[in-house]
Amino acid sequence: MRFSAAMGGINPVRRHIPTLDGWRAVAIGLVMLLHGADSITRALAPAGVHFDPGSGVGLLGVQIFFCLSGFLITTNLINEEDARGSASLRSFYIRRCFRILPAALTFLAIAGLLGTLQFIEVDPTRWVHTLLFMANYSEAPRSYYVMHFWSLAVEEHFYFIWPLAFILLRQSSHRLVLVVATIAGVALWRAIAFKYQITYTDSALFWGRTDTNADSLLFGVALALLFADPEWRARIVKHLSGKWAPLLGFGLVVCALSVAMLRQAFDWKVNLFLIDVQFLLIVSAIIFTVVNPGGWMGRLLESPPFRWVGRLSYSLYLYQQLFLVEDEWLSSSLTVLQDFPINIVAAVACALLSLHLIEKPMIRIGHRLATAKGQPFAMDAARV
């Protein structure tokens, strides 16, 4: 096993990585802050307050999810390889399918039914493309209520490619070289495609594609590969610990937020450069709290409220889209359910139903089917 209790507070028995559920809470909080901005503004209208956190804040939340996913998926593959000699694609895909698909398909069925009944506006072609996890390449008419599936499509495409590459490349150094080279290639391709408008038909479509977002996941992958190596892990712990650690952690968070909110104010070259700077800041902040779980940031992220929201984050991400709605997409049928703060309550209630009635039972079935013998290699904090 590559992780040890002495390095970053990781439990060697349960393979729990501290603070990651808390980071999920931060990520979903940022997404909901953006999506709920219009409803908050309506609620504060009598006081003359206009609430606008900026699109960069919501995107930062999704990018945190991406970095966490790359880190955790790769960590699980490494742990399984260490324990069994190799990672199993069959087990991986069974666990992923039972973790992601039941809740996602249930939500799409609900959204499709509401659309058919004309309670909400959902374009049928867009719905089909979303069902096929091609929402981030679809040119069908925009439909807010399923629009968030662009990020799930990016994740699914990542699941199809990276585990296979991990298994084919047996040496960690080869994996790291591939990942770093791909990060550089994606960044270069994103700049070229943007500059010369290659396959560029719509701004939202361009920024949501897998080929322009893959490096966010790969930064998490690179972090996992480095942190699994004893020498690199020791260096990381050394540089992120010490008397200046609290100030360093605060600085990483402030810088990540600042880049997210301000990078669009620069010209396109600086903007594109700052995208990867932002990914680097995110993974640095994540690993900082992992190796300093006893610090103030670590304690906050490991607090019961943050962990509770973090474990609900996938369900919340699915259902908040029905209730935290931009003004132009408000439904006359859902009315009060899309008003703040009732929309938050409605999203949490649906997320809890999804978690306990669909996700947890399906996760247990998936783990049983994926495990030929012994225990499944899925961390209790790895339910991305």
Side-chain angles (χ1 to χ4, degrees):
M1 185 185 306
R2 306 213 181 175
F3 293 131
S4 69
M7 289 293 184
I10 297 170
N11 187 314
V13 177
R14 298 181 65 197
R15 293 182 173 86
H16 169 68
I17 304 180
T19 75
L20 297 191
D21 279 327
W23 277 112
R24 286 196 189 90
V26 171
I28 190 60
L30 292 173
V31 171
M32 293 177 69
L33 194 65
L34 174 65
H35 289 182
D38 284 355
S39 66
I40 295 173
T41 294
R42 293 197 306 274
L44 298 177
V49 176
H50 179 76
F51 181 72
D52 182 13
S55 60
V57 170
L59 184 58
L60 176 62
V62 176
Q63 291 167 343
I64 292 173
F65 276 129
F66 284 160
C67 291
L68 284 170
S69 182
F71 177 70
L72 285 166
I73 291 301
T74 305
T75 297
N76 279 346
L77 291 169
I78 290 171
N79 282 341
E80 183 174 2
E81 183 180 64
D82 283 350
R84 295 180 177 173
S86 64
S88 168
L89 274 181
R90 172 186 173 276
S91 295
F92 174 84
Y93 285 125
I94 289 175
R95 288 197 299 267
R96 286 292 88 200
C97 285
F98 278 83
R99 175 63 185 107
I100 300 296
L101 294 183
L105 295 179
T106 300
F107 174 85
L108 285 178
I110 292 172
L113 177 62
L114 292 175
T116 301
L117 297 175
Q118 298 186 342
F119 288 170
I120 61 175
E121 186 177 343
V122 179
D123 178 78
T125 304
R126 168 66 64 174
W127 187 90
V128 171
H129 291 173
T130 302
L131 178 67
L132 299 174
F133 289 100
M134 292 302 295
N136 61 337
Y137 285 95
S138 174
E139 296 187 7
R142 184 170 176 259
S143 297
Y144 179 87
Y145 293 96
V146 295
M147 189 170 63
H148 57 322
F149 268 68
W150 75 267
S151 61
L152 296 182
V154 173
E155 293 252 10
E156 291 300 310
H157 302 161
F158 168 73
Y159 296 154
F160 276 115
I161 298 171
W162 170 241
L164 179 60
F166 179 93
I167 290 173
L168 292 177
L169 296 173
R170 298 289 298 174
Q171 294 187 29
S172 181
S173 60
H174 294 171
R175 294 166 180 164
L176 186 60
V177 168
L178 172 65
V179 169
V180 172
T182 306
I183 287 174
V186 170
L188 179 61
W189 162 246
R190 183 167 53 226
I192 293 173
F194 182 85
K195 169 66 174 177
Y196 297 103
Q197 298 188 11
I198 302 173
T199 66
Y200 182 99
T201 57
D202 176 78
S203 178
L205 182 62
F206 175 82
W207 292 109
R209 293 179 348 203
T210 303
D211 57 293
T212 58
N213 279 280
D215 47 346
S216 57
L217 289 136
L218 293 175
F219 267 92
V221 171
L223 175 63
L225 293 172
L226 291 173
F227 201 59
D229 181 270
E231 292 184 7
W232 272 104
R233 186 171 65 244
R235 293 173 188 170
I236 292 171
V237 171
K238 177 182 177 181
H239 289 295
L240 296 182
S241 303
K243 64 178 182 179
W244 297 106
L247 185 60
L248 175 60
F250 179 75
L252 288 170
V253 171
V254 169
C255 288
L257 278 171
S258 298
V259 171
M261 297 176 68
L262 300 175
R263 67 176 177 82
Q264 292 185 357
F266 298 96
D267 67 37
W268 70 272
K269 294 178 182 178
V270 176
N271 189 341
L272 292 178
F273 170 74
L274 288 177
I275 290 175
D276 281 299
V277 171
Q278 186 168 312
F279 297 152
L280 182 59
L281 289 168
I282 291 171
V283 295
S284 298
I286 289 171
I287 203 62
F288 171 83
T289 61
V290 169
V291 301
N292 293 287
W296 70 269
M297 283 180 59
R299 293 196 305 271
L300 178 64
L301 293 172
E302 278 290 284
S303 64
F306 272 77
R307 294 190 67 179
W308 184 81
V309 173
R311 289 170 178 169
L312 194 63
S313 59
Y314 175 54
S315 320
L316 268 177
Y317 188 75
L318 290 174
Y319 284 93
Q320 53 81 33
Q321 202 79 8
L322 284 177
F323 307 106
L324 279 65
V325 181
E326 296 174 357
D327 283 348
E328 63 178 295
W329 291 93
L330 286 173
S331 166
S332 59
S333 301
L334 299 182
T335 58
V336 70
L337 293 176
Q338 294 180 338
D339 288 336
F340 182 83
I342 296 174
N343 54 359
I344 303 295
V345 176
V348 171
C350 288
L352 285 170
L353 290 173
S354 175
L355 178 66
H356 293 289
L357 298 183
I358 299 172
E359 294 165 54
K360 284 189 174 181
M362 291 295 102
I363 288 170
R364 288 193 291 268
I365 292 173
H367 282 187
R368 286 199 297 269
L369 292 175
T371 309
K373 57 182 178 179
Q375 296 299 314
F377 286 83
M379 298 183 225
D380 61 349
R383 293 176 177 178
V384 292

